[in-house]
């Protein structure tokens, strides 16, 4: 376990120690003797002064950080499942979206379970609205900045390398801000249409509430929104949730965004030494109908997967690979062959005895390696204390300097250069395992990481709701606004970082991956999280007094729907999208000031 893994545990201990200290020095105002009440401090017990406010902020920051760590652990653990070929298709289509919605869903649930549910439910609707609006605006703008390329005078986006121009760059620094932008695949437009369909549940509960005058502040006490509307809306939301998962699984084999995400996770695992190339692409599973890479020298996707590694180890950038470069590459792919094995493989591919192999020859060679699982055996040695270590790389520094911006591009490649370099760190518990053993170990590690992440999220969501509610009371602001701004920072940080990371690759595929994940998260909020919210309203007999919040969500999603229909996104769209976030808050505030709840 890395030292950073202990940070959440240390923070938990600090929070608990603060709770015990506060309980012994203040009078607990609650009579609830539940387990969580005894474990976590009642934030209402903090002094109603500056010191108490600082204490509240510190505890809130600790809870928020733990929720963020838990969300990241859920994301990291679920992405590990993408490394198991037989599970990759269903994980990318079903598991990742569901687990990504767990943090927001937990906050929604706990906001409506307390004794003061009608008041605290504002935290839940704030987290739901804030998560949706934030994911569709802030990371969208970040992705536009991270993935933008120059637009030439013909309106073409600068993704294809100009081989006649040695100074070619995707983004010309002299081109100007508004002469740049991004392009994405047609999948974003399709997902945006699905997002609009999932808004139906909001309308089912909101329209009857308007008929009952639940939007008027002067008749707020008389609001009696029909409970059956919340129940029907929740059932429809669950049905749309199931439809969304089915639809994503249906298009999984033709979904370039999901394929790209799976490939990126595999590349990272290979670069970090988490698994070997044969552990990632086992022949007995790779031909399943799950959207995985086919081991075929003519496979466009297989070539795209291997090309970054070929470029990385083509140190001199001459579009061919020498014997020494090939040895470095195979070792970093987890194969660890002997020098004699590398020489035999090289001589077999180098039929013209030129002393180098081209990319097409390299692809053919990798097909042979993957199809013959016994051709290369990992070589490990024992230190004096008996610890198993992997044989060190030859001239590792030269392999790190082998990344060059001007690498060659094949016909199907749109310029996926410059993957961020990371030093491979082969875990000792995986280095000596066979491919099947590596996959079993990955499954164990994945479920362990996800389980701990889910535990942290569920365990700390309830006290976090109390903190957000109390913070709103102390600064005399509706808890909705506090949750709208702060809750997504803890629950959706992983989606924001992942989307921006993909966008920096500056390709159409990477932009499709980034935007698709954001629109997909909005769909999950409209179905999974909203269903939980509506069931709370029904079973807790709460009033639906969220007209302004509902209009805010629908307005932002409608605006993003028209933007997402475009495949080309010049940078002026970043300005429009950036303005939607403050406009959403202004819309809620304006509607409430005008007499709408």
């Amino acid at each position: 376990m890395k030292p950073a893994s202990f940070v959440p545990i240390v923070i938990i201990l600090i929070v608990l120690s603060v709770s015990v200290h506060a309980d012994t020095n203040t009078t607990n105002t609650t009579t609830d003797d539940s387990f969580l009440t005894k474990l976590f401090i009642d934030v209402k017990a903090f002094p109603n002064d500056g010191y108490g406010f600082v204490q509240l902020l510190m505890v809130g920051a600790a809870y928020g950080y733990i929720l963020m760590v838990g969300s990241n652990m859920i994301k990291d653990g679920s992405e590990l499942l993408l490394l198991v070929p037989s599970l990759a298709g269903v994980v990318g289509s079903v598991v990742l979206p569901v687990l990504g919605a767990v943090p927001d869903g937990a906050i929604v649930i706990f906001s409506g379970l307390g004794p003061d549910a009608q008041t605290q439910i504002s935290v839940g609707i704030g987290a739901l609205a804030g998560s949706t609006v934030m994911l569709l605006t802030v990371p969208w703008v970040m992705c536009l900045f991270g993935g933008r390329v120059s637009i030439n005078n013909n309106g073409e986006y600068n993704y294809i390398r100009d081989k006649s121009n040695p100074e070619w760059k995707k983004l010309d620094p002299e081109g100007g801000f508004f002469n740049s932008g991004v392009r994405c695949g047609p999948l974003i437009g399709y997902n945006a249409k699905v997002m609009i369909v999932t808004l139906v549940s909001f309308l089912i509960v909101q329209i009857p509430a308007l008929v009952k005058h639940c939007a008027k502040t002067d008749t707020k006490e008389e609001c009696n929104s029909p409970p059956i509307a919340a129940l029907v809306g929740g059932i429809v939301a669950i049905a749309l949730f199931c439809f969304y998962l089915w639809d994503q699984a249906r298009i999984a084999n033709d979904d370039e965004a999901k394929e790209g995400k799976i490939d990126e996770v595999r590349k990272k695992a290979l670069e970090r030494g988490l698994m070997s190339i044969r552990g990632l692409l086992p022949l007995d599973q790779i031909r399943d109908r799950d959207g995985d890479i086919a081991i075929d020298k003519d496979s466009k996707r297989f070539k795209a997967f291997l090309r970054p590694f070929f470029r990385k180890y083509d140190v001199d950038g001459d579009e061919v690979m020498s014997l020494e470069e090939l040895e470095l590459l195979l070792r970093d792919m987890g194969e660890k062959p002997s020098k004699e094995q590398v020489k035999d493989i090289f001589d077999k591919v180098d039929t013209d005895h030129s002393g180098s192999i081209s990319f097409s020859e390299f692809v053919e060679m990798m097909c042979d390696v993957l199809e013959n699982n016994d051709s290369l055996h990992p070589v490990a040695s024992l230190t004096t204390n008996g610890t198993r270590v992997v044989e060190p790389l030859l001239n590792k520094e030269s392999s790190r300097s082998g990344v060059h911006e001007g690498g060659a591009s094949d016909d199907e490649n749109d310029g996926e250069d410059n993957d961020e370099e990371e030093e491979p760190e082969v875990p000792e518990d995986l280095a000596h395992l066979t491919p099947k053993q590596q996959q079993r170990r990955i499954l164990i590690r994945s479920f362990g990481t996800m389980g701990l992440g889910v535990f942290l999220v569920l365990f700390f969501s309830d006290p976090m709701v109390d903190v957000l509610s109390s913070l709103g009371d102390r600064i005399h602001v509706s808890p909705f606004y506090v949750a709208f701004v702060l809750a997504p920072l803890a629950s959706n940080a992983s989606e924001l970082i992942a989307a921006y990371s993909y966008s920096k690759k500056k390709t159409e595929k990477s932009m499709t991956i980034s935007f698709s994940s954001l629109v997909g998260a909005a769909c999950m909020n409209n179905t999974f999280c909203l269903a939980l919210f509506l069931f709370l309203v029904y079973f807790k007999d709460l009033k639906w007094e969220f007209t302004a919040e509902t209009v805010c969500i629908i307005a932002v999603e409608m605006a993003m729907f028209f933007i997402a229909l475009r495949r080309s996104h010049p940078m002026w769209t970043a300005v429009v999208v950036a303005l939607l976030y403050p406009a959403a808050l202004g819309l809620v505030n304006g509607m409430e000031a005008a007499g709408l709840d």
Side-chain angles (χ1 to χ4, degrees), residues 83 269-270 273-277 279-280 333-334 430 435 438-439 442:
L83 302 178
L270 199 56
L274 188 61
M275 293 184 73
S276 68
I277 182 68
L280 288 174
M333 281 187 166
L430 295 177
Q438 287 180 4
Q439 291 187 27
I442 285 295

Side-chain angles (χ1 to χ4, degrees), residues 383-403:
T383 61
T384 54
N385 62 3
T387 303
R388 183 179 295 273
V389 296
V390 177
E391 183 178 344
L393 300 180
L394 299 178
N395 193 16
K396 184 179 293 186
E397 289 301 319
S398 66
S399 72
R400 299 294 155 237
S401 64
V403 181

Side-chain angles (χ1 to χ4, degrees), residues 41-63:
I41 186 173
D42 178 10
V43 293
K44 295 179 181 179
F46 286 136
N48 193 21
D49 54 20
Y51 293 106
F53 184 71
V54 172
Q55 285 180 302
L56 180 64
L57 291 179
M58 292 179 63
V59 172
Y63 290 159

